[in-house]
């Protein structure tokens, strides 16, 4: 199974061989695990890679239901789905993004950002649909008090645990993809920060037994990010098309308000009034730690962008080369779209400012210099 057509052969297990065949290597490893299901001797080990572990029968009014909790064996399951994600990444890149980018005739810098946004659009769209289905079926939207009631939420339904494992697998797979996709050195720190922020927050919600609150917050976050990267792709197709950026700016402010309000409500008020306030890691109760640190972190994160959003009244673009570029890319936020761009650039490394290059300057070298400033 070959994902890319190659006209040049590389020495076996060399650096270029691994880079150009990493999806095929991952497919072979996944196939070995699947073949292990066919034999009784290896079936038990194969299920360890494929299915979530630590299932527990929980008695309910209608009988018994199977729930799950986390443990060290989850790392094996996450590892398996990292290879699955690498394969899907290569399929999307080969059969969708490469064909579109050839028609657009993009430069190297824009081509790299186009591939990045294309992959994230597919991921965010699938995650939003999946997360919305889980939140609705579990009743978290109809009963918001369930986000903090009966904490700690040690036992998770199958679909909730599987969702978190796949989310961790995706963001962990993004780390080796920086090597496989030959990302420029200037882009690596930005993307590492972006990936690590998601890993810390998703793993924190999973390990601190805040899975219900994490699902709702991820739904809001992924919805905004999907709209932003969709606008980014439309901008690459037509540089005059900036309407989606305005829609994203409006959605950005609304979702940030909901995220901050929901986090403070659930952690600062809901968990603070739960009867069991004892810090007991063995039982999965981190309530005291969450009430003291979680609310302060959420409030601090909401205030962080305020120092970088609107320029000061006496600020004049042109004092330096970097400020001249910034002045053309991010003017004074006289509209909702420009204000949203400032906020998003401060919160996340992904920003429309990195896309909207001055059209008077042409040439790949000048374009690359703008991105490195």
């Amino acid at each position: 199974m070959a994902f890319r057509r190659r006209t040049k052969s590389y020495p076996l297990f060399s650096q270029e061989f691994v880079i150009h065949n990493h999806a095929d290597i991952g497919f072979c490893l996944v196939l070995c695990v699947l073949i292990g299901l066919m034999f009784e001797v290896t079936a038990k080990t194969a299920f360890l890679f494929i299915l979530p572990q630590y299932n527990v029968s929980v008695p309910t009014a209608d009988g018994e239901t199977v729930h799950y909790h986390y443990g060290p064996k989850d790392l094996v399951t996450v590892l398996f789905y990292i290879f699955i994600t690498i394969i899907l990444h290569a399929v999307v890149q080969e059969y969708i993004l490469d064909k579109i980018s050839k028609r657009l005739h993009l430069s190297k810098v824009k081509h790299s950002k186009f591939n990045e946004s294309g992959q994230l659009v597919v991921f965010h769209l699938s995650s939003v649909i999946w997360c919305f289905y889980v939140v609705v079926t579990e009743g978290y939207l109809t009963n918001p008090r369930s986000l903090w009631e009966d904490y700690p939420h040690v036992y998770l339904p199958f679909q909730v645990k599987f969702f978190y494992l796949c989310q961790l697998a995706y963001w962990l797979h993004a780390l080796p993809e920086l090597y496989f996709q030959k990302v420029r050195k200037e882009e690596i720190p930005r993307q590492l920060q972006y990936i690590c922020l998601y890993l810390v927050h998703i793993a924190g919600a999973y390990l601190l037994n805040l899975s219900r609150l994490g699902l709702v917050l991820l739904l809001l976050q992924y919805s905004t990010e999907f709209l932003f990267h969709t606008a980014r792709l439309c901008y690459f197709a037509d540089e005059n098309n900036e309407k989606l950026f305005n829609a994203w700016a409006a959605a950005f402010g609304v979702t940030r308000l909901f995220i901050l309000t929901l986090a403070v409500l659930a952690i600062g008020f809901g968990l603070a009034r739960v009867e069991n306030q004892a810090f007991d890691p063995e039982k999965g109760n981190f309530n005291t730690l969450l009430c003291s640190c979680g609310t302060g972190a959420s409030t601090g994160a909401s205030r962080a962008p305020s120092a970088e959003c609107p320029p000061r009244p006496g600020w004049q673009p042109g004092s330096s080369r970097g400020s001249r570029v910034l002045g053309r890319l991010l003017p004074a936020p006289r509209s909702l779209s420009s204000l949203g761009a400032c906020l998003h650039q401060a919160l996340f490394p992904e920003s429309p400012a990195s896309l909207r290059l001055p059209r008077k300057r042409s040439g790949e070298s000048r374009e690359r210099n703008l991105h490195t400033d």
Side-chain angles (χ1 to χ4, degrees):
M1 179 178 180
F3 289 100
R4 299 180 182 274
R5 297 178 181 177
R6 307 174 187 86
T7 58
K8 183 179 179 181
S9 59
Y10 300 96
L12 191 63
F13 298 119
S14 64
Q15 181 179 1
E16 292 296 327
F17 177 86
V18 174
I19 291 175
H20 287 80
N21 297 276
H22 66 275
D24 298 328
I25 296 173
F27 178 79
C28 293
L29 296 175
V30 170
L31 189 60
C32 292
V33 175
L34 297 178
I35 292 175
L37 297 174
M38 303 172 60
F39 304 97
E40 185 177 358
V41 179
T42 57
K44 186 175 181 180
T45 304
F47 278 119
L48 183 65
F49 286 88
I50 299 174
L51 296 178
Q53 305 299 310
Y54 305 103
N55 55 320
V56 178
S57 297
V58 179
T60 59
D62 300 331
E64 290 186 352
T65 57
V66 178
H67 284 66
Y68 297 81
H69 60 90
Y70 62 80
K73 293 181 181 179
D74 290 342
L75 297 176
V76 180
T77 308
V78 170
L79 178 62
F80 175 78
Y81 285 100
I82 286 176
F83 290 110
I84 294 290
T85 310
I86 290 176
I87 297 171
L88 296 177
H89 185 112
V91 171
V92 172
Q93 183 68 42
E94 176 71 16
Y95 295 104
I96 299 178
L97 298 180
D98 286 350
K99 293 183 179 180
I100 297 176
S101 61
K102 287 180 181 179
R103 297 181 180 181
L104 297 178
H105 304 288
L106 301 173
S107 63
K108 289 184 178 180
V109 175
K110 288 188 176 181
H111 184 267
S112 175
K113 292 185 176 295
F114 176 84
N115 290 336
E116 181 183 354
S117 289
Q119 293 286 347
L120 289 174
V121 161
V122 175
F123 168 71
H124 288 315
L125 177 60
S126 58
S127 296
V128 165
I129 296 174
W130 189 3
C131 188
F132 181 76
Y133 173 79
V134 174
V135 169
V136 170
T137 54
E138 295 296 330
Y140 299 151
L141 289 182
T142 57
N143 183 21
R145 296 177 64 89
S146 62
L147 298 179
W148 60 80
E149 285 183 343
D150 301 327
Y151 181 84
H153 307 137
V154 178
Y155 300 111
L156 310 176
F158 173 83
Q159 59 181 355
V160 175
K161 176 167 182 174
F162 190 63
F163 176 82
Y164 272 96
L165 294 180
C166 291
Q167 291 294 312
L168 292 172
Y170 179 85
W171 291 110
L172 285 173
H173 113 281
L175 295 175
E177 283 294 343
L178 297 177
Y179 170 75
F180 295 142
Q181 299 298 326
K182 295 182 178 180
V183 177
R184 295 185 306 141
K185 293 182 179 179
E186 297 83 359
E187 293 289 324
I188 290 179
R190 177 184 63 84
Q191 295 197 29
L192 277 178
Q193 180 185 5
Y194 187 72
I195 294 168
C196 291
L197 282 174
Y198 272 109
L199 281 175
V200 169
H201 286 82
I202 294 174
Y206 182 64
L207 297 176
L208 298 178
N209 296 317
L210 283 173
S211 56
R212 299 179 184 179
L213 178 61
L215 281 173
V216 180
L217 297 182
L218 279 177
L219 178 61
L220 296 172
Q221 170 66 17
Y222 283 166
S223 300
T224 309
E225 289 297 298
F226 167 73
L227 186 59
F228 168 69
H229 289 287
T230 303
R232 208 180 184 192
L233 293 178
C234 293
Y235 177 82
F236 284 125
D238 182 9
E239 293 186 353
N240 296 321
N241 186 1
E242 299 181 357
K243 295 181 179 180
L244 281 179
F245 280 119
N246 298 329
W248 163 80
F252 175 83
V254 174
T255 53
R256 284 300 172 277
L257 180 62
F258 272 102
I259 288 175
L260 178 61
T261 304
L262 186 60
V264 173
L265 178 64
I267 298 177
F269 295 94
L271 291 178
R273 298 181 180 180
V274 175
E275 295 181 358
N276 188 5
Q277 295 287 338
F279 178 72
D280 191 356
E282 294 183 358
K283 296 182 179 180
N285 192 338
F286 302 92
N287 195 4
T288 304
L289 178 62
L290 289 173
C291 289
S292 59
C293 301
T295 306
S298 301
T299 306
S302 66
R303 296 177 181 175
S306 61
E308 301 183 26
C309 291
R312 296 185 299 272
W315 181 80
Q316 294 292 335
S319 58
S320 63
R321 185 174 184 273
S323 62
R324 289 197 300 270
V325 175
L326 183 61
R328 289 194 294 265
L329 298 182
L330 285 178
R334 298 177 181 177
S335 63
L336 181 61
S337 60
S338 58
L339 177 59
C342 292
L343 288 171
H344 193 274
Q345 185 182 18
L347 273 175
F348 298 98
E350 299 297 321
S351 172
S354 62
L355 303 177
R356 302 182 183 181
L357 301 175
R359 297 177 187 175
K360 295 182 180 180
R361 301 187 66 178
S362 59
E364 184 178 329
S365 60
R366 294 182 180 180
E367 187 178 16
R368 184 180 295 107
N369 290 334
L370 288 178
H371 285 271
T372 55
D373 284 342

